[in-house]
Every structure is written in structure tokens, then in C-alpha cells.
Amino acid sequence: MAKSPPDLSLFPILPVVAAALVDREGRVLLAQRPAGKQHAGLWEFPGGKIDAGERPEAALIRELNEELAIDVNAACLAPATFASMSIGERQLLLLLYVCRKWHGVPRAVEASALRWVRPVEMHALPMPPADRSLIGLIEALL
């Protein structure tokens, strides 16, 4: 007897994008989540949700402009890895890109603070689980 495929509507996916912005010294920019938001005070790769019908790269370019007031060209976004984890009834799918070139100076528009850190320093920072799971790859890439 053939098995029926699972009903994917029972497992809604929350797609999000994030960037590991890397400066000339090999440091990565992290943003601190503001008070009043889930995971407040934790350090994360900047980015956000993908809107319906939006390409991941377009979502990341939009989010980086909204959150950091920088402009990024899609050609400067290199897909790096992803993380997946359950958050309640949903499945978070975090797509991480590496970016080494942008226009403007990042500033904390939505975050409480910004911090440039070496990948090895990320282990000591409080980070959301999905972001934390990506540290090892970032260390290997940089």
C-alpha cells in the first residue's frame, strides 16, 4: 500500500534571510535585538522575513536597507548556508548569505546596537539558536 505524502500545510515554513557582513579585517557585523521583540538582547546576523512573492536576495537587500541603512547589490550576496529549526507550530528556515561589499556605513536603525566581531568571538555572545548554529561554518569560511 502506497503512503500518502505528508500534508505540508501542517508544517508552515517561516522563511527568513540574514547576512554575514564581513569587513576588511575579517570581522562580522552582528545586531542586538531590541527590547520588546522576541529574543530581545540577543546578537544576530542582520536580516528578516521574506515577504510573499519576494525573492530571498531582494528581501535581504530590503532588510539591510531598513535595518542598517546600507545599500547592497544582489551580485555581492553569496549564498553560504542555512539553518532550520522548529519554533512552535512553524519551521524557521534561515538562509544565510555572505556579503563583503556594500554602500554606506551600517548604523543601528532597528537594533539596540551593532558590533563587529571575529567569528571565534561569537561563541561567547548570547545568540538565537538558529544564528548560533551557523557560527562554525562562518569560522570555516573566513
PDB file of all heavy atoms in Angstrom, residues 88-122:
ATOM      1  N   GLY A  88       7.611  26.690  17.763  1.00  0.00           N
ATOM      2  CA  GLY A  88       6.186  26.465  17.969  1.00  0.00           C
ATOM      3  C   GLY A  88       5.632  25.572  16.873  1.00  0.00           C
ATOM      4  O   GLY A  88       6.162  24.511  16.587  1.00  0.00           O
ATOM      5  N   GLU A  89       4.584  26.029  16.231  1.00  0.00           N
ATOM      6  CA  GLU A  89       3.927  25.277  15.161  1.00  0.00           C
ATOM      7  C   GLU A  89       4.598  25.473  13.805  1.00  0.00           C
ATOM      8  O   GLU A  89       4.195  24.874  12.827  1.00  0.00           O
ATOM      9  CB  GLU A  89       2.461  25.727  15.050  1.00  0.00           C
ATOM     10  CG  GLU A  89       1.645  25.461  16.290  1.00  0.00           C
ATOM     11  CD  GLU A  89       1.338  23.987  16.460  1.00  0.00           C
ATOM     12  OE1 GLU A  89       1.049  23.319  15.443  1.00  0.00           O
ATOM     13  OE2 GLU A  89       1.394  23.507  17.600  1.00  0.00           O
ATOM     14  N   ARG A  90       5.606  26.344  13.743  1.00  0.00           N
ATOM     15  CA  ARG A  90       6.235  26.677  12.464  1.00  0.00           C
ATOM     16  C   ARG A  90       7.656  26.149  12.396  1.00  0.00           C
ATOM     17  O   ARG A  90       8.271  25.834  13.407  1.00  0.00           O
ATOM     18  CB  ARG A  90       6.239  28.191  12.275  1.00  0.00           C
ATOM     19  CG  ARG A  90       4.825  28.765  12.297  1.00  0.00           C
ATOM     20  CD  ARG A  90       4.837  30.238  12.180  1.00  0.00           C
ATOM     21  NE  ARG A  90       4.802  30.576  10.756  1.00  0.00           N
ATOM     22  CZ  ARG A  90       4.767  31.807  10.310  1.00  0.00           C
ATOM     23  NH1 ARG A  90       4.785  32.812  11.133  1.00  0.00           N
ATOM     24  NH2 ARG A  90       4.715  32.044   9.020  1.00  0.00           N
ATOM     25  N   GLN A  91       8.153  26.097  11.171  1.00  0.00           N
ATOM     26  CA  GLN A  91       9.527  25.689  10.919  1.00  0.00           C
ATOM     27  C   GLN A  91      10.273  26.888  10.364  1.00  0.00           C
ATOM     28  O   GLN A  91       9.960  27.387   9.285  1.00  0.00           O
ATOM     29  CB  GLN A  91       9.565  24.529   9.920  1.00  0.00           C
ATOM     30  CG  GLN A  91      10.923  23.919   9.727  1.00  0.00           C
ATOM     31  CD  GLN A  91      11.427  23.166  10.944  1.00  0.00           C
ATOM     32  OE1 GLN A  91      10.654  22.726  11.781  1.00  0.00           O
ATOM     33  NE2 GLN A  91      12.723  23.042  11.069  1.00  0.00           N
ATOM     34  N   LEU A  92      11.251  27.387  11.117  1.00  0.00           N
ATOM     35  CA  LEU A  92      12.069  28.503  10.671  1.00  0.00           C
ATOM     36  C   LEU A  92      13.098  27.988   9.684  1.00  0.00           C
ATOM     37  O   LEU A  92      13.774  26.993   9.942  1.00  0.00           O
ATOM     38  CB  LEU A  92      12.784  29.146  11.864  1.00  0.00           C
ATOM     39  CG  LEU A  92      13.790  30.241  11.510  1.00  0.00           C
ATOM     40  CD1 LEU A  92      13.059  31.534  11.181  1.00  0.00           C
ATOM     41  CD2 LEU A  92      14.754  30.463  12.650  1.00  0.00           C
ATOM     42  N   LEU A  93      13.215  28.651   8.551  1.00  0.00           N
ATOM     43  CA  LEU A  93      14.243  28.338   7.565  1.00  0.00           C
ATOM     44  C   LEU A  93      15.043  29.618   7.359  1.00  0.00           C
ATOM     45  O   LEU A  93      14.562  30.572   6.758  1.00  0.00           O
ATOM     46  CB  LEU A  93      13.619  27.867   6.244  1.00  0.00           C
ATOM     47  CG  LEU A  93      14.614  27.517   5.133  1.00  0.00           C
ATOM     48  CD1 LEU A  93      15.516  26.360   5.563  1.00  0.00           C
ATOM     49  CD2 LEU A  93      13.867  27.163   3.858  1.00  0.00           C
ATOM     50  N   LEU A  94      16.257  29.647   7.916  1.00  0.00           N
ATOM     51  CA  LEU A  94      17.131  30.812   7.864  1.00  0.00           C
ATOM     52  C   LEU A  94      18.171  30.613   6.763  1.00  0.00           C
ATOM     53  O   LEU A  94      18.973  29.682   6.822  1.00  0.00           O
ATOM     54  CB  LEU A  94      17.823  31.018   9.212  1.00  0.00           C
ATOM     55  CG  LEU A  94      18.938  32.054   9.290  1.00  0.00           C
ATOM     56  CD1 LEU A  94      18.426  33.445   8.951  1.00  0.00           C
ATOM     57  CD2 LEU A  94      19.562  32.056  10.675  1.00  0.00           C
ATOM     58  N   LEU A  95      18.119  31.482   5.750  1.00  0.00           N
ATOM     59  CA  LEU A  95      19.073  31.439   4.641  1.00  0.00           C
ATOM     60  C   LEU A  95      20.142  32.487   4.904  1.00  0.00           C
ATOM     61  O   LEU A  95      19.831  33.680   5.006  1.00  0.00           O
ATOM     62  CB  LEU A  95      18.364  31.745   3.320  1.00  0.00           C
ATOM     63  CG  LEU A  95      17.139  30.888   3.007  1.00  0.00           C
ATOM     64  CD1 LEU A  95      16.439  31.399   1.752  1.00  0.00           C
ATOM     65  CD2 LEU A  95      17.521  29.433   2.864  1.00  0.00           C
ATOM     66  N   LEU A  96      21.397  32.060   5.025  1.00  0.00           N
ATOM     67  CA  LEU A  96      22.490  32.981   5.329  1.00  0.00           C
ATOM     68  C   LEU A  96      23.333  33.238   4.086  1.00  0.00           C
ATOM     69  O   LEU A  96      23.750  32.305   3.396  1.00  0.00           O
ATOM     70  CB  LEU A  96      23.382  32.424   6.439  1.00  0.00           C
ATOM     71  CG  LEU A  96      24.503  33.363   6.890  1.00  0.00           C
ATOM     72  CD1 LEU A  96      23.941  34.561   7.649  1.00  0.00           C
ATOM     73  CD2 LEU A  96      25.513  32.617   7.749  1.00  0.00           C
ATOM     74  N   TYR A  97      23.576  34.515   3.837  1.00  0.00           N
ATOM     75  CA  TYR A  97      24.431  34.973   2.733  1.00  0.00           C
ATOM     76  C   TYR A  97      25.656  35.657   3.322  1.00  0.00           C
ATOM     77  O   TYR A  97      25.583  36.234   4.405  1.00  0.00           O
ATOM     78  CB  TYR A  97      23.692  35.992   1.860  1.00  0.00           C
ATOM     79  CG  TYR A  97      22.541  35.417   1.074  1.00  0.00           C
ATOM     80  CD1 TYR A  97      21.323  35.130   1.684  1.00  0.00           C
ATOM     81  CD2 TYR A  97      22.667  35.167  -0.279  1.00  0.00           C
ATOM     82  CE1 TYR A  97      20.268  34.616   0.957  1.00  0.00           C
ATOM     83  CE2 TYR A  97      21.610  34.651  -1.020  1.00  0.00           C
ATOM     84  CZ  TYR A  97      20.413  34.377  -0.390  1.00  0.00           C
ATOM     85  OH  TYR A  97      19.373  33.857  -1.108  1.00  0.00           O
ATOM     86  N   VAL A  98      26.767  35.608   2.602  1.00  0.00           N
ATOM     87  CA  VAL A  98      27.962  36.362   2.973  1.00  0.00           C
ATOM     88  C   VAL A  98      28.037  37.563   2.043  1.00  0.00           C
ATOM     89  O   VAL A  98      27.816  37.443   0.838  1.00  0.00           O
ATOM     90  CB  VAL A  98      29.240  35.502   2.866  1.00  0.00           C
ATOM     91  CG1 VAL A  98      30.483  36.351   3.034  1.00  0.00           C
ATOM     92  CG2 VAL A  98      29.213  34.380   3.888  1.00  0.00           C
ATOM     93  N   CYS A  99      28.347  38.714   2.624  1.00  0.00           N
ATOM     94  CA  CYS A  99      28.452  39.947   1.846  1.00  0.00           C
ATOM     95  C   CYS A  99      29.701  40.702   2.297  1.00  0.00           C
ATOM     96  O   CYS A  99      29.876  40.959   3.484  1.00  0.00           O
ATOM     97  CB  CYS A  99      27.203  40.803   2.059  1.00  0.00           C
ATOM     98  SG  CYS A  99      27.214  42.348   1.145  1.00  0.00           S
ATOM     99  N   ARG A 100      30.565  41.025   1.343  1.00  0.00           N
ATOM    100  CA  ARG A 100      31.805  41.732   1.651  1.00  0.00           C
ATOM    101  C   ARG A 100      31.838  43.145   1.075  1.00  0.00           C
ATOM    102  O   ARG A 100      32.807  43.867   1.266  1.00  0.00           O
ATOM    103  CB  ARG A 100      32.998  40.949   1.123  1.00  0.00           C
ATOM    104  CG  ARG A 100      33.193  39.619   1.818  1.00  0.00           C
ATOM    105  CD  ARG A 100      34.339  38.829   1.185  1.00  0.00           C
ATOM    106  NE  ARG A 100      34.518  37.558   1.823  1.00  0.00           N
ATOM    107  CZ  ARG A 100      35.316  37.346   2.869  1.00  0.00           C
ATOM    108  NH1 ARG A 100      36.017  38.330   3.387  1.00  0.00           N
ATOM    109  NH2 ARG A 100      35.424  36.142   3.395  1.00  0.00           N
ATOM    110  N   LYS A 101      30.778  43.536   0.364  1.00  0.00           N
ATOM    111  CA  LYS A 101      30.773  44.854  -0.275  1.00  0.00           C
ATOM    112  C   LYS A 101      29.375  45.460  -0.188  1.00  0.00           C
ATOM    113  O   LYS A 101      28.391  44.811  -0.550  1.00  0.00           O
ATOM    114  CB  LYS A 101      31.198  44.712  -1.735  1.00  0.00           C
ATOM    115  CG  LYS A 101      31.361  46.010  -2.463  1.00  0.00           C
ATOM    116  CD  LYS A 101      31.871  45.760  -3.870  1.00  0.00           C
ATOM    117  CE  LYS A 101      31.997  47.072  -4.632  1.00  0.00           C
ATOM    118  NZ  LYS A 101      32.398  46.848  -6.023  1.00  0.00           N
ATOM    119  N   TRP A 102      29.293  46.689   0.284  1.00  0.00           N
ATOM    120  CA  TRP A 102      28.041  47.424   0.395  1.00  0.00           C
ATOM    121  C   TRP A 102      28.357  48.908   0.336  1.00  0.00           C
ATOM    122  O   TRP A 102      29.515  49.313   0.418  1.00  0.00           O
ATOM    123  CB  TRP A 102      27.305  47.074   1.691  1.00  0.00           C
ATOM    124  CG  TRP A 102      28.116  47.306   2.917  1.00  0.00           C
ATOM    125  CD1 TRP A 102      28.201  48.467   3.648  1.00  0.00           C
ATOM    126  CD2 TRP A 102      28.988  46.377   3.574  1.00  0.00           C
ATOM    127  NE1 TRP A 102      29.066  48.318   4.704  1.00  0.00           N
ATOM    128  CE2 TRP A 102      29.565  47.041   4.678  1.00  0.00           C
ATOM    129  CE3 TRP A 102      29.336  45.050   3.326  1.00  0.00           C
ATOM    130  CZ2 TRP A 102      30.473  46.425   5.532  1.00  0.00           C
ATOM    131  CZ3 TRP A 102      30.242  44.441   4.182  1.00  0.00           C
ATOM    132  CH2 TRP A 102      30.796  45.118   5.268  1.00  0.00           C
ATOM    133  N   HIS A 103      27.313  49.709   0.197  1.00  0.00           N
ATOM    134  CA  HIS A 103      27.458  51.165   0.151  1.00  0.00           C
ATOM    135  C   HIS A 103      26.839  51.760   1.403  1.00  0.00           C
ATOM    136  O   HIS A 103      25.722  51.404   1.779  1.00  0.00           O
ATOM    137  CB  HIS A 103      26.780  51.737  -1.092  1.00  0.00           C
ATOM    138  CG  HIS A 103      27.358  51.212  -2.370  1.00  0.00           C
ATOM    139  ND1 HIS A 103      28.550  51.666  -2.876  1.00  0.00           N
ATOM    140  CD2 HIS A 103      26.919  50.250  -3.226  1.00  0.00           C
ATOM    141  CE1 HIS A 103      28.820  51.011  -3.995  1.00  0.00           C
ATOM    142  NE2 HIS A 103      27.855  50.145  -4.218  1.00  0.00           N
ATOM    143  N   GLY A 104      27.586  52.652   2.055  1.00  0.00           N
ATOM    144  CA  GLY A 104      27.120  53.279   3.280  1.00  0.00           C
ATOM    145  C   GLY A 104      27.807  52.693   4.492  1.00  0.00           C
ATOM    146  O   GLY A 104      28.528  51.697   4.399  1.00  0.00           O
ATOM    147  N   VAL A 105      27.567  53.319   5.619  1.00  0.00           N
ATOM    148  CA  VAL A 105      28.115  52.849   6.888  1.00  0.00           C
ATOM    149  C   VAL A 105      26.964  52.273   7.703  1.00  0.00           C
ATOM    150  O   VAL A 105      25.989  52.983   7.979  1.00  0.00           O
ATOM    151  CB  VAL A 105      28.791  54.010   7.658  1.00  0.00           C
ATOM    152  CG1 VAL A 105      29.287  53.541   9.016  1.00  0.00           C
ATOM    153  CG2 VAL A 105      29.925  54.606   6.835  1.00  0.00           C
ATOM    154  N   PRO A 106      27.044  50.984   8.074  1.00  0.00           N
ATOM    155  CA  PRO A 106      25.949  50.392   8.841  1.00  0.00           C
ATOM    156  C   PRO A 106      25.688  51.162  10.143  1.00  0.00           C
ATOM    157  O   PRO A 106      26.625  51.528  10.852  1.00  0.00           O
ATOM    158  CB  PRO A 106      26.438  48.975   9.146  1.00  0.00           C
ATOM    159  CG  PRO A 106      27.465  48.687   8.100  1.00  0.00           C
ATOM    160  CD  PRO A 106      28.112  50.010   7.808  1.00  0.00           C
ATOM    161  N   ARG A 107      24.410  51.406  10.395  1.00  0.00           N
ATOM    162  CA  ARG A 107      24.014  52.027  11.658  1.00  0.00           C
ATOM    163  C   ARG A 107      22.791  51.296  12.194  1.00  0.00           C
ATOM    164  O   ARG A 107      22.018  50.714  11.428  1.00  0.00           O
ATOM    165  CB  ARG A 107      23.788  53.513  11.514  1.00  0.00           C
ATOM    166  CG  ARG A 107      22.774  53.935  10.525  1.00  0.00           C
ATOM    167  CD  ARG A 107      22.756  55.476  10.388  1.00  0.00           C
ATOM    168  NE  ARG A 107      21.834  55.882   9.363  1.00  0.00           N
ATOM    169  CZ  ARG A 107      20.540  56.145   9.562  1.00  0.00           C
ATOM    170  NH1 ARG A 107      20.035  56.041  10.773  1.00  0.00           N
ATOM    171  NH2 ARG A 107      19.757  56.494   8.568  1.00  0.00           N
ATOM    172  N   ALA A 108      22.630  51.329  13.489  1.00  0.00           N
ATOM    173  CA  ALA A 108      21.556  50.589  14.157  1.00  0.00           C
ATOM    174  C   ALA A 108      20.232  51.343  14.028  1.00  0.00           C
ATOM    175  O   ALA A 108      19.867  52.124  14.900  1.00  0.00           O
ATOM    176  CB  ALA A 108      21.908  50.359  15.624  1.00  0.00           C
ATOM    177  N   VAL A 109      19.512  51.110  12.941  1.00  0.00           N
ATOM    178  CA  VAL A 109      18.220  51.756  12.738  1.00  0.00           C
ATOM    179  C   VAL A 109      17.160  51.051  13.582  1.00  0.00           C
ATOM    180  O   VAL A 109      16.382  51.702  14.272  1.00  0.00           O
ATOM    181  CB  VAL A 109      17.821  51.739  11.242  1.00  0.00           C
ATOM    182  CG1 VAL A 109      16.429  52.310  11.034  1.00  0.00           C
ATOM    183  CG2 VAL A 109      18.850  52.487  10.411  1.00  0.00           C
ATOM    184  N   GLU A 110      17.135  49.725  13.535  1.00  0.00           N
ATOM    185  CA  GLU A 110      16.140  48.951  14.284  1.00  0.00           C
ATOM    186  C   GLU A 110      16.743  48.194  15.469  1.00  0.00           C
ATOM    187  O   GLU A 110      16.037  47.836  16.395  1.00  0.00           O
ATOM    188  CB  GLU A 110      15.423  47.972  13.355  1.00  0.00           C
ATOM    189  CG  GLU A 110      14.575  48.676  12.312  1.00  0.00           C
ATOM    190  CD  GLU A 110      13.773  47.706  11.461  1.00  0.00           C
ATOM    191  OE1 GLU A 110      13.756  46.497  11.750  1.00  0.00           O
ATOM    192  OE2 GLU A 110      13.158  48.175  10.492  1.00  0.00           O
ATOM    193  N   ALA A 111      18.022  47.925  15.435  1.00  0.00           N
ATOM    194  CA  ALA A 111      18.687  47.164  16.505  1.00  0.00           C
ATOM    195  C   ALA A 111      19.032  48.076  17.675  1.00  0.00           C
ATOM    196  O   ALA A 111      19.143  49.291  17.520  1.00  0.00           O
ATOM    197  CB  ALA A 111      19.956  46.516  15.962  1.00  0.00           C
ATOM    198  N   SER A 112      19.237  47.482  18.838  1.00  0.00           N
ATOM    199  CA  SER A 112      19.697  48.238  20.010  1.00  0.00           C
ATOM    200  C   SER A 112      21.138  48.679  19.836  1.00  0.00           C
ATOM    201  O   SER A 112      21.531  49.745  20.295  1.00  0.00           O
ATOM    202  CB  SER A 112      19.590  47.387  21.277  1.00  0.00           C
ATOM    203  OG  SER A 112      18.255  47.062  21.540  1.00  0.00           O
ATOM    204  N   ALA A 113      21.940  47.827  19.184  1.00  0.00           N
ATOM    205  CA  ALA A 113      23.359  48.113  18.995  1.00  0.00           C
ATOM    206  C   ALA A 113      23.892  47.244  17.863  1.00  0.00           C
ATOM    207  O   ALA A 113      23.274  46.246  17.484  1.00  0.00           O
ATOM    208  CB  ALA A 113      24.132  47.822  20.286  1.00  0.00           C
ATOM    209  N   LEU A 114      25.032  47.646  17.335  1.00  0.00           N
ATOM    210  CA  LEU A 114      25.759  46.854  16.350  1.00  0.00           C
ATOM    211  C   LEU A 114      27.136  46.560  16.910  1.00  0.00           C
ATOM    212  O   LEU A 114      27.665  47.332  17.704  1.00  0.00           O
ATOM    213  CB  LEU A 114      25.906  47.623  15.024  1.00  0.00           C
ATOM    214  CG  LEU A 114      24.633  48.019  14.311  1.00  0.00           C
ATOM    215  CD1 LEU A 114      24.965  48.822  13.053  1.00  0.00           C
ATOM    216  CD2 LEU A 114      23.793  46.799  13.944  1.00  0.00           C
ATOM    217  N   ARG A 115      27.705  45.447  16.454  1.00  0.00           N
ATOM    218  CA  ARG A 115      29.022  45.050  16.962  1.00  0.00           C
ATOM    219  C   ARG A 115      29.761  44.263  15.888  1.00  0.00           C
ATOM    220  O   ARG A 115      29.211  43.328  15.316  1.00  0.00           O
ATOM    221  CB  ARG A 115      28.814  44.188  18.207  1.00  0.00           C
ATOM    222  CG  ARG A 115      30.037  43.826  18.955  1.00  0.00           C
ATOM    223  CD  ARG A 115      29.633  43.179  20.262  1.00  0.00           C
ATOM    224  NE  ARG A 115      30.787  42.743  20.988  1.00  0.00           N
ATOM    225  CZ  ARG A 115      30.754  42.121  22.134  1.00  0.00           C
ATOM    226  NH1 ARG A 115      29.601  41.859  22.710  1.00  0.00           N
ATOM    227  NH2 ARG A 115      31.848  41.739  22.741  1.00  0.00           N
ATOM    228  N   TRP A 116      31.001  44.662  15.604  1.00  0.00           N
ATOM    229  CA  TRP A 116      31.866  43.917  14.687  1.00  0.00           C
ATOM    230  C   TRP A 116      32.667  42.918  15.512  1.00  0.00           C
ATOM    231  O   TRP A 116      33.342  43.302  16.465  1.00  0.00           O
ATOM    232  CB  TRP A 116      32.821  44.857  13.958  1.00  0.00           C
ATOM    233  CG  TRP A 116      32.132  45.738  12.960  1.00  0.00           C
ATOM    234  CD1 TRP A 116      31.746  47.031  13.142  1.00  0.00           C
ATOM    235  CD2 TRP A 116      31.752  45.393  11.633  1.00  0.00           C
ATOM    236  NE1 TRP A 116      31.153  47.510  12.012  1.00  0.00           N
ATOM    237  CE2 TRP A 116      31.146  46.532  11.059  1.00  0.00           C
ATOM    238  CE3 TRP A 116      31.877  44.231  10.863  1.00  0.00           C
ATOM    239  CZ2 TRP A 116      30.656  46.538   9.749  1.00  0.00           C
ATOM    240  CZ3 TRP A 116      31.388  44.244   9.564  1.00  0.00           C
ATOM    241  CH2 TRP A 116      30.787  45.384   9.016  1.00  0.00           C
ATOM    242  N   VAL A 117      32.577  41.640  15.175  1.00  0.00           N
ATOM    243  CA  VAL A 117      33.271  40.608  15.939  1.00  0.00           C
ATOM    244  C   VAL A 117      33.942  39.610  15.003  1.00  0.00           C
ATOM    245  O   VAL A 117      33.505  39.389  13.883  1.00  0.00           O
ATOM    246  CB  VAL A 117      32.312  39.852  16.894  1.00  0.00           C
ATOM    247  CG1 VAL A 117      31.692  40.786  17.908  1.00  0.00           C
ATOM    248  CG2 VAL A 117      31.234  39.117  16.121  1.00  0.00           C
ATOM    249  N   ARG A 118      34.996  39.006  15.492  1.00  0.00           N
ATOM    250  CA  ARG A 118      35.608  37.898  14.771  1.00  0.00           C
ATOM    251  C   ARG A 118      34.730  36.663  15.003  1.00  0.00           C
ATOM    252  O   ARG A 118      34.131  36.518  16.073  1.00  0.00           O
ATOM    253  CB  ARG A 118      37.020  37.653  15.281  1.00  0.00           C
ATOM    254  CG  ARG A 118      37.892  38.889  15.101  1.00  0.00           C
ATOM    255  CD  ARG A 118      39.343  38.548  14.936  1.00  0.00           C
ATOM    256  NE  ARG A 118      40.119  39.759  14.722  1.00  0.00           N
ATOM    257  CZ  ARG A 118      40.226  40.396  13.555  1.00  0.00           C
ATOM    258  NH1 ARG A 118      39.617  39.925  12.504  1.00  0.00           N
ATOM    259  NH2 ARG A 118      40.940  41.487  13.439  1.00  0.00           N
ATOM    260  N   PRO A 119      34.658  35.772  14.027  1.00  0.00           N
ATOM    261  CA  PRO A 119      33.791  34.598  14.194  1.00  0.00           C
ATOM    262  C   PRO A 119      34.027  33.838  15.491  1.00  0.00           C
ATOM    263  O   PRO A 119      33.075  33.417  16.142  1.00  0.00           O
ATOM    264  CB  PRO A 119      34.112  33.753  12.960  1.00  0.00           C
ATOM    265  CG  PRO A 119      34.471  34.765  11.924  1.00  0.00           C
ATOM    266  CD  PRO A 119      35.238  35.833  12.684  1.00  0.00           C
ATOM    267  N   VAL A 120      35.279  33.678  15.912  1.00  0.00           N
ATOM    268  CA  VAL A 120      35.559  32.939  17.144  1.00  0.00           C
ATOM    269  C   VAL A 120      34.949  33.620  18.370  1.00  0.00           C
ATOM    270  O   VAL A 120      34.597  32.961  19.349  1.00  0.00           O
ATOM    271  CB  VAL A 120      37.083  32.710  17.320  1.00  0.00           C
ATOM    272  CG1 VAL A 120      37.810  34.017  17.619  1.00  0.00           C
ATOM    273  CG2 VAL A 120      37.363  31.659  18.372  1.00  0.00           C
ATOM    274  N   GLU A 121      34.774  34.931  18.325  1.00  0.00           N
ATOM    275  CA  GLU A 121      34.190  35.672  19.446  1.00  0.00           C
ATOM    276  C   GLU A 121      32.680  35.451  19.573  1.00  0.00           C
ATOM    277  O   GLU A 121      32.106  35.701  20.630  1.00  0.00           O
ATOM    278  CB  GLU A 121      34.470  37.172  19.292  1.00  0.00           C
ATOM    279  CG  GLU A 121      35.944  37.527  19.341  1.00  0.00           C
ATOM    280  CD  GLU A 121      36.219  38.973  18.969  1.00  0.00           C
ATOM    281  OE1 GLU A 121      35.622  39.474  17.995  1.00  0.00           O
ATOM    282  OE2 GLU A 121      37.046  39.593  19.660  1.00  0.00           O
ATOM    283  N   MET A 122      32.051  34.983  18.503  1.00  0.00           N
ATOM    284  CA  MET A 122      30.600  34.768  18.527  1.00  0.00           C
ATOM    285  C   MET A 122      30.189  33.707  19.548  1.00  0.00           C
ATOM    286  O   MET A 122      29.091  33.758  20.087  1.00  0.00           O
ATOM    287  CB  MET A 122      30.091  34.364  17.143  1.00  0.00           C
ATOM    288  CG  MET A 122      30.152  35.455  16.128  1.00  0.00           C
ATOM    289  SD  MET A 122      29.487  34.823  14.557  1.00  0.00           S
ATOM    290  CE  MET A 122      30.147  36.042  13.447  1.00  0.00           C
TER     291      MET A 122
END
